[in-house]
């Protein structure tokens, strides 16, 4: 389970809306954003791209201090594994990342072997060895 969100944060979620098909993604990042509406596509103010978001039910109350709704947003940054498979997250994943297959309304989502290790293939024992043909 993601250590950054809890089920209490998601009590009023009604549905998950995907802007991209998440089945080809090892992980998505998730965050709670404050938005003026319960439904519809929220504004997006990060690098990278929004992959999806949640919509809230009619009983969701706005934050008393800001008057805004707290909704989950799913996104990827330019240096994430889907764009840079051999980059920083070749293995492992950011703390806020979960496997999109485990996301549902009112459920935080989980880290899985796929979200943490992705399509990484184990290295063979001699993968770093070079064959030398120059006689040395």
């Amino acid at each position: 389970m993601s250590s950054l969100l809890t089920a209490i944060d998601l009590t009023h979620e009604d549905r998950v809306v995907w802007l991209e098909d998440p089945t080809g993604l090892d992980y998505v990042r998730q965050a709670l954003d404050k938005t003026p509406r319960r439904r519809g596509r929220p504004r997006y103010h990060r690098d990278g791209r929004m992959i999806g978001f949640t919509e809230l039910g009619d009983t969701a109350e706005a934050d008393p201090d800001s008057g805004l709704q707290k909704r989950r947003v799913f996104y990827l940054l330019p240096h994430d594994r889907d764009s840079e498979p051999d980059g920083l997250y070749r293995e492992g994943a950011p703390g806020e990342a979960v496997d999109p297959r485990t996301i549902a309304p009112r459920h935080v989502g989980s880290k899985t072997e796929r979200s943490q290790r992705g399509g990484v293939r184990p290295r063979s024992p001699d993968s770093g060895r070079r064959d030398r043909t120059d006689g040395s």
Side-chain angles (χ1 to χ4, degrees):
M1 184 184 289
S2 171
S3 60
L4 303 179
L5 292 177
T6 62
I8 196 79
D9 295 321
L10 315 177
T11 303
H12 296 288
E13 287 185 346
D14 196 34
R15 75 181 199 131
V16 175
V17 177
W18 293 107
L19 301 173
E20 293 184 26
D21 181 359
T23 57
L25 299 172
D26 293 340
Y27 65 81
V28 294
R29 294 174 185 250
Q30 62 179 355
L32 276 182
D33 284 1
K34 291 183 178 182
T35 69
R37 298 181 317 236
R38 291 182 185 106
R39 291 183 160 62
R41 185 178 181 154
R43 291 185 183 143
Y44 184 72
H45 301 288
R46 294 177 178 86
D47 288 341
R49 66 192 198 272
M50 185 182 344
I51 305 298
F53 57 88
T54 58
E55 293 188 328
L56 306 178
D58 294 334
T59 61
E61 294 183 19
D63 181 277
D65 295 328
S66 66
L68 299 173
Q69 303 286 335
K70 292 181 182 178
R71 294 170 54 193
R72 241 183 331 169
V73 173
F74 308 104
Y75 64 100
L76 289 169
L77 296 177
H79 60 275
D80 280 325
R81 189 183 304 147
D82 73 305
S83 296
E84 291 187 18
D86 292 322
L88 178 65
Y89 294 113
R90 178 176 183 266
E91 287 190 55
E96 68 273 19
V98 294
D99 187 330
R101 293 156 204 77
T102 66
I103 294 171
R106 298 173 301 283
H107 296 280
V108 173
S110 302
K111 293 182 181 301
T112 63
E113 181 69 20
R114 183 177 182 133
S115 70
Q116 293 304 294
R117 299 195 48 85
V120 176
R121 290 172 206 88
R123 292 180 63 155
S124 64
D126 59 6
S127 64
R129 193 187 86 212
R130 277 192 263 175
D131 290 326
R132 301 198 59 145
T133 56
D134 60 1
S136 51

